[in-house]
Amino acid sequence: MMKFTKRMVLGMMAATMLSPAVAAAEDFSLEGETVTWIVGFKEGGGTDRLTRLLQSKLSEHLPGNPKVIVLNKPGGGSVTAANAFEKVAPTDGTMLIMASTSTFLPVLLGASVAEYNPNGWEAVAGFARGATMFGISDQIGAKGNGADPKADYAGLKDSSIRFGLETPISAEMLDLVAMNLLDVDARVLFGLSSKEAEGAFQRGETNMNTDNTRSYLKDFGEDPKVVPVWTYGVIDEAGNLQRDPDLPDVPTFPEFYEAATGKAPEGLGYKLQQNLMNAKVMISKAVILPKGTPEHIQAAYVDALKAVVADPDVAAKLPREVGSMPVNFGEATQRAIELGTAMEPEVRQWANEFLQANYDSSLD
């Protein structure tokens, strides 16, 4: 007669307790279904291009090989689509959304137009996109490229810095806060879209600009007169800030700050800068399932997206859209969303005081 030890009994109990979840995962299939991938922008833009690149292989790696279609619902910088996604998206794995910085930033800044909470959504994958501050070398007194950050800082402090952006509470608030932390006195020209700010920079009306790293390299990588001063880096899976892989010689903002001032950045302003960095860089694009999606469905999508980005056809084209940044998945993406959408009350107060003192604006 077989004798059951305590350990054996506990093991069988654990197996029995786990079996429903395991069975659910094994039984999950989207065979015969149509998966709708929501994009909150018009066809042809960066978010749409990335989505369609991933869509081309997603069906192959989802259980049951469903049909996957992209549905463009432009409006409000993706806010319109996100509001609808929050209210009506089913939780059976047949709908997901490609969110972007403009989806998360209104939540971080407390804008009432955002009727959704990304921290309740189920993260699948995040596509970071590097960002850099650059300028016209002889006008900003900086040689850039990480050669001598301390000398570059002295040059910035002694120069007349001109910088253009749309509003003080756009994604470029990251750069305003960075310059404030460095005590760089910049003349800011508002009302310029990203494209208009680029035009002003090329015409010499401004002498510093910000852009994603790949666009900077495409537009100015071969121009010796234009130099990158700092990047915002990328956060690795362990939560540590690393240099932008597309500009590995250029210091991250914290590195530049420490080289310039002799101490690491800290305080409420730096916490705000970290919130903004996550919103602009780490979750530049994010694949998300709706709130309430079962864990085994989320896990199936994480596995599928890992396989998609590893596919040779996708891997060869992905750098054109997001550069060389590593893709983050699941918990790492969820952490970036939280940091990019949740601002501590003390940090929000600092941000409001900063905006009201300098730009006659508010986050409220």
Side-chain angles (χ1 to χ4, degrees):
M1 180 177 178
M2 185 176 180
K3 296 179 68 175
F4 291 92
T5 66
K6 182 178 181 181
R7 179 175 295 181
M8 291 170 64
V9 172
L10 290 174
M12 288 186 289
M13 289 175 62
T16 303
M17 291 171 64
L18 291 172
S19 60
V22 173
E26 291 178 347
D27 292 344
F28 174 61
S29 175
L30 290 165
E31 184 177 0
E33 299 284 355
T34 296
V35 172
T36 302
W37 199 338
I38 304 296
V39 175
F41 301 91
K42 294 187 292 186
E43 295 88 342
T47 304
D48 181 69
R49 290 197 309 270
L50 176 60
T51 305
R52 292 178 188 275
L53 173 61
L54 301 172
Q55 173 222 9
S56 68
K57 298 291 182 177
L58 182 57
S59 175
E60 296 178 21
H61 300 289
L62 282 173
N65 309 121
K67 181 180 181 180
V68 180
I69 64 170
V70 174
L71 178 61
N72 297 83
K73 295 178 67 67
S78 79
V79 170
T80 300
N83 282 340
F85 182 77
E86 174 88 354
K87 296 172 184 175
V88 305
T91 61
D92 58 359
T94 59
M95 184 174 288
L96 63 161
I97 191 170
M98 179 67 91
S100 72
T101 294
S102 63
T103 314
F104 300 113
L105 200 62
V107 179
L108 176 66
L109 302 182
S112 60
V113 293
E115 299 171 357
Y116 51 89
N117 176 19
N119 289 296
W121 295 345
E122 308 298 339
V124 175
F127 293 82
R129 187 169 66 165
T132 183
M133 279 286 283
F134 54 93
I136 302 172
S137 180
D138 61 359
Q139 293 189 27
I140 65 172
K143 295 182 178 180
N145 291 301
D148 191 344
K150 191 169 184 178
D152 286 350
Y153 176 58
L156 290 173
K157 292 276 288 182
D158 291 340
S159 300
S160 176
I161 304 300
R162 303 184 305 279
F163 178 70
L165 73 161
E166 193 157 9
T167 75
I169 54 175
S170 62
E172 287 71 34
M173 185 180 178
L174 171 66
D175 309 293
L176 296 180
V177 173
M179 288 189 286
N180 175 268
L181 293 175
L182 287 166
D183 197 27
V184 171
D185 186 16
R187 180 189 173 199
V188 183
L189 307 178
F190 292 114
L192 303 180
S193 67
S194 297
K195 186 174 182 179
E196 291 168 336
E198 180 183 345
F201 180 79
Q202 292 178 330
R203 293 189 298 270
E205 296 165 6
T206 59
N207 54 23
M208 285 198 82
N209 197 21
T210 184
D211 208 339
N212 69 77
T213 305
R214 295 297 285 183
S215 293
Y216 162 75
L217 289 170
K218 177 176 175 286
D219 296 336
F220 303 107
E222 302 299 322
D223 187 342
K225 300 187 297 295
V226 179
V227 296
V229 182
W230 66 74
T231 75
Y232 292 103
V234 60
I235 300 172
D236 64 21
E237 290 186 358
N240 300 314
L241 183 66
Q242 306 293 341
R243 288 192 173 189
D244 189 321
D246 288 311
L247 285 173
D249 295 329
V250 180
T252 63
F253 175 77
E255 289 178 309
F256 184 88
Y257 183 98
E258 187 163 2
T261 67
K263 58 183 180 180
E266 59 181 2
L268 296 176
Y270 183 55
K271 285 187 176 182
L272 173 61
Q273 201 249 13
Q274 290 178 298
N275 286 142
L276 293 164
M277 180 272 183
N278 272 276
K280 184 174 182 178
V281 174
M282 294 304 298
I283 44 178
S284 173
K285 305 288 183 284
V287 182
I288 300 177
L289 291 162
K291 178 181 178 181
T293 298
E295 186 177 343
H296 68 276
I297 296 180
Q298 180 193 24
Y301 267 91
V302 170
D303 290 343
L305 260 294
K306 286 181 177 179
V308 168
V309 299
D311 183 284
D313 291 340
V314 174
K317 298 173 183 176
L318 197 57
R320 301 177 201 170
E321 304 300 333
V322 295
S324 304
M325 290 288 198
V327 182
N328 52 78
F329 298 95
E331 291 182 4
T333 308
Q334 205 82 51
R335 181 174 66 240
I337 290 173
E338 182 178 356
L339 289 170
T341 58
M343 192 185 301
E344 296 176 8
E346 298 83 359
V347 176
R348 183 173 296 277
Q349 181 178 348
W350 186 96
N352 276 325
E353 291 173 355
F354 163 70
L355 289 169
Q356 290 169 354
N358 295 280
Y359 306 111
D360 191 27
S361 186
S362 171
L363 297 185
D364 296 326

